[in-house]
Amino acid sequence: MDPEYDERQFKIAIVGGGIGGLCCALFIHHFCSATNVKVKIDVYEQAAQYKEIGAGVHIGPNAAKLLHQIGIGAQLNTIAGFRRGVWLTFRRFDNGAEILTIPAKDEGPIRQAPVARAEFLDLLVKATQERDAATLHTGKMCKSVKENGNTINVSFADGTTITSSLVVGCDGIHSNIRGQFFQDRPLYSGRVAYRGVIPIADLEEWWPFETFAVSFLGPGKHFLVFPISRNQSLNIVAFVAVPESELGDLRESWTSKSRRKEAEIDYEGFNGTVRRLIKLLPSEISKWKLNDREPLDDWTFFGGKVVLLGDAAHAMLPHQGAGAGQALEDGYILARALADCLSKASRPAEVMTRLEPYMRLYQDVRLPRAKRAQQTAREAGLVYQMKIPDCAELPYDDCLPIVRDKLKDRMKWIWSGNIDEEYDELKKARFMS
Ligand SMILES: Cc1cc2nc3c(=O)[nH]c(=O)nc-3n(C[C@H](O)[C@H](O)[C@H](O)COP(=O)(O)OP(=O)(O)OC[C@H]3O[C@@H](n4cnc5c(N)ncnc54)[C@H](O)[C@@H]3O)c2cc1C
Ligand SMILES: *[C@@H]1O[C@H](CO)[C@@H](O)[C@H](O)[C@H]1NC(C)=O
Ligand SMILES: *[C@@H]1O[C@H](CO)[C@@H](O)[C@H](O)[C@H]1NC(C)=O
Ligand SMILES: *[C@@H]1O[C@H](CO)[C@@H](O)[C@H](O)[C@H]1NC(C)=O
């Protein structure tokens, strides 16, 4: 037995301290602090620090709402960019003319929150520490999980092992924990992405649009920008269709690099606004190969003692800006299920007899919604680049009305949706009929 294992506590090991892992810790702390059985949460992050490399990530209102519920929504708004009532204005790649503008309600406190990953992660780390929600460990790369009677042993690359009652695998798209149960099959999207951030101050003088949330759509290419960091920075992500055979040694990695010159060449045919933005990027920028994974049918292992969450469970393409939001929804529902499970017990040992049905409840509430987000993200990538079957052989101008129609209501179900209601209904069906 791990010498630190305490029979009186319900120990939870969160593996991976990214956005999904830290939010999961905060949600569990929020929902499970008042239960009879005390929880002890540890987060194990492989990196040497809780730090992110700077680029943007989008938090939609569905996810922002959950952060408001645990008292960090106002802080979220203080680091977010402001989209001026526009989620995205889709524009022609050549002359910048409007294709369609999707409004975003942003008057109220719960709103679209495009953020810098580093600033958002800092906020989550601080909230975790201030609330004493979890113990944060660094330099802990999980190699494997093993069933050890009623507990799970988690082994790390540094040779140490810890024992826990529940392990939540939040270790991202390359998840080792998922890899233990499924063979990893990366699926290439047909697209690569360049990424970089520039100061908005450099473009305020000449920027031609009302908002900084713009996506330029061209055949086989699209160019997305949105404001982060209180409107101080513009996040740029440029997508280009490239056949797999021409990828060279480009990796599926957030940290692989390329020269800006490559992007300049790729976007030669785009509007001057786009070309000017590229010139403002540093000479070396990020470039990565966009893959996702097929939806899984199972995120629950070892009798509910190991579950997956976030990208580890449902890696998706970034085209709907929904990956982080889906990870947050997972953490929120997992915490609700755990709170319900714990509230029926007076000792940790009793919890173990009911853990599996509650972890399956978490999975079954979340899986269909996350799967739909994975599938619609794939389709969105094709729509943005006029590669949908309906546009086959059609000239650009004739394809635009089809694209407009496919974009108009795409995001509604992701931003709305009542996950509390979904949870309550399935719980009732399972446990109270
Ligand atoms: C550097 C980076 C850049 C990204 N950029 C974008 C982007 O531009 N657009 C976009 O849509 N999405 C991006 N994502 C993905 C997006 O952030 C996720 O979809 C979302 O935040 C859900 O995250 P997650 O917590 O499930 O996974 P992640 O954010 O990937 O976090 C996983 C965490 O687990 C840690 N970890 C991994 N393996 C282990 C292990 N074996 N043991 C312990 N810890 C481990 C990682 O270091 C990381 O901190 C990026 C992710 C990363 C890490
Ligand atoms: C779990 O870890 C403990 C030591 O930390 C060890 O005694 C035990 O044998 C391990 N169990 C398994 C199944 O590996
Ligand atoms: C920047 O954000 C503020 C609100 O935070 C907003 O009032 C202002 O219009 C924004 N500026 C731009 C250029 O979008
Ligand atoms: C590029 O787009 C902007 C904004 O719509 C527009 O004013 C400009 O005329 C466009 N340039 C060309 C060459 O079409």
Side-chain angles (χ1 to χ4, degrees):
M1 266 286 155
D2 175 347
E4 301 220 341
Y5 192 77
D6 180 341
E7 293 279 325
R8 289 158 304 176
Q9 284 178 334
F10 186 78
K11 282 196 74 176
I12 302 164
I14 293 179
V15 174
I19 292 170
L22 289 177
C23 287
C24 178
L26 287 164
F27 288 129
I28 293 177
H29 176 73
H30 178 80
F31 283 109
C32 301
S33 292
T35 49
N36 290 330
V37 176
K38 291 289 151 247
V39 295
K40 164 81 173 77
I41 308 172
D42 286 274
V43 182
Y44 299 95
E45 165 60 37
Q46 67 172 359
Q49 277 176 298
Y50 283 78
K51 219 173 157 202
E52 285 285 3
I53 48 176
V57 62
H58 186 62
I59 308 295
N62 55 313
K65 179 170 94 180
L66 307 179
L67 296 174
H68 278 272
Q69 229 169 298
I70 61 166
I72 52 179
Q75 280 170 278
L76 174 72
N77 288 341
T78 66
I79 62 164
F82 191 66
R83 306 180 90 120
R84 286 195 166 172
V86 168
W87 177 60
L88 276 177
T89 180
F90 290 100
R91 300 279 165 160
R92 286 181 68 112
F93 73 103
D94 48 4
N95 61 15
E98 183 185 47
I99 298 170
L100 170 76
T101 295
I102 312 270
K105 281 201 213 98
D106 57 15
E107 317 72 60
I110 296 173
R111 57 182 193 235
Q112 304 278 355
V115 294
R117 295 178 56 85
E119 291 173 351
F120 186 45
L121 203 83
D122 278 351
L123 186 164
L124 298 174
V125 168
K126 284 207 188 83
T128 306
Q129 288 167 338
E130 274 162 18
R131 295 166 185 210
D132 203 10
T135 308
L136 303 180
H137 307 264
T138 52
K140 290 288 180 188
M141 174 191 278
C142 168
K143 296 299 280 183
S144 68
V145 289
K146 247 189 224 154
E147 196 166 25
N148 180 52
N150 239 345
T151 59
I152 297 292
N153 278 5
V154 184
S155 305
F156 298 99
D158 63 3
T160 58
T161 297
I162 60 101
T163 302
S164 202
S165 307
L166 171 65
V167 176
V168 189
C170 311
D171 48 349
I173 190 165
H174 300 114
S175 172
N176 273 352
I177 298 188
R178 182 192 63 220
Q180 201 178 314
F181 302 95
F182 300 98
Q183 196 194 339
D184 190 27
R185 289 205 189 87
L187 205 80
Y188 178 52
S189 62
R191 260 157 275 129
V192 301
Y194 297 98
R195 188 177 57 180
V197 176
I198 59 174
I200 283 187
D202 292 357
L203 38 105
E204 228 139 14
E205 303 261 291
W206 58 270
W207 189 249
F209 306 107
E210 272 293 300
T211 173
F212 282 105
V214 185
S215 185
F216 298 85
L217 306 185
K221 288 172 192 171
H222 72 288
F223 192 94
L224 166 72
V225 301
F226 58 79
I228 56 174
S229 305
R230 303 159 298 283
N231 298 354
Q232 282 171 14
S233 311
L234 189 70
N235 185 61
I236 298 178
V237 199
F239 301 89
V240 180
V242 179
E244 192 149 31
S245 58
E246 291 168 24
L247 286 174
D249 57 3
L250 187 66
R251 286 172 306 130
E252 179 196 43
S253 162
W254 306 114
T255 51
S256 61
K257 299 278 182 201
S258 154
R259 299 181 52 73
R260 179 184 70 218
K261 191 82 203 151
E262 272 190 63
E264 285 175 17
I265 295 167
D266 277 337
Y267 285 93
E268 264 166 1
F270 269 56
N271 176 276
T273 302
V274 168
R275 298 201 312 270
R276 211 161 160 179
L277 287 177
I278 296 175
K279 292 267 191 218
L280 292 169
L281 287 166
S283 61
E284 196 187 53
I285 56 178
S286 305
K287 179 181 187 181
W288 84 98
K289 176 182 173 187
L290 276 182
N291 289 337
D292 67 359
R293 301 292 184 277
E294 285 297 347
L296 301 176
D297 292 323
D298 200 8
W299 309 346
T300 309
F301 314 98
F302 293 147
K305 296 193 288 296
V306 174
V307 292
L308 297 178
L309 176 152
D311 281 9
H314 46 67
M316 61 187 73
L317 298 174
H319 302 304
Q320 300 182 119
Q326 289 303 304
L328 261 73
E329 290 187 1
D330 290 346
Y332 179 91
I333 294 297
L334 174 65
R336 281 206 57 193
L338 196 60
D340 282 336
C341 176
L342 292 171
S343 69
K344 298 205 161 50
S346 54
R347 289 176 302 111
E350 276 174 58
V351 177
M352 298 320 287
T353 63
R354 321 194 166 79
L355 190 59
E356 179 155 26
Y358 279 93
M359 290 301 101
R360 292 225 166 262
L361 176 62
Y362 149 69
Q363 169 191 300
D364 296 344
V365 170
R366 292 296 310 145
L367 205 148
R369 193 166 148 86
K371 186 172 180 174
R372 186 172 171 200
Q374 283 177 293
Q375 286 164 338
T376 54
R378 277 183 189 166
E379 197 192 57
L382 301 175
V383 175
Y384 294 156
Q385 302 198 340
M386 331 264 145
K387 294 218 166 192
I388 40 175
D390 301 5
C391 281
E393 320 282 320
L394 285 186
Y396 181 79
D397 289 274
D398 296 345
C399 173
L400 283 185
I402 302 169
V403 165
R404 197 175 290 128
D405 193 54
K406 297 231 179 249
L407 291 181
K408 136 169 97 51
D409 295 321
R410 280 209 87 71
M411 296 300 297
K412 272 196 182 139
W413 73 273
I414 294 182
W415 295 338
S416 56
N418 186 337
I419 61 167
D420 277 303
E421 210 171 87
E422 285 175 13
Y423 175 78
D424 291 334
E425 274 170 21
L426 196 63
K427 179 176 115 179
K428 198 166 156 211
R430 295 257 163 111
F431 298 114
M432 285 162 217
S433 51

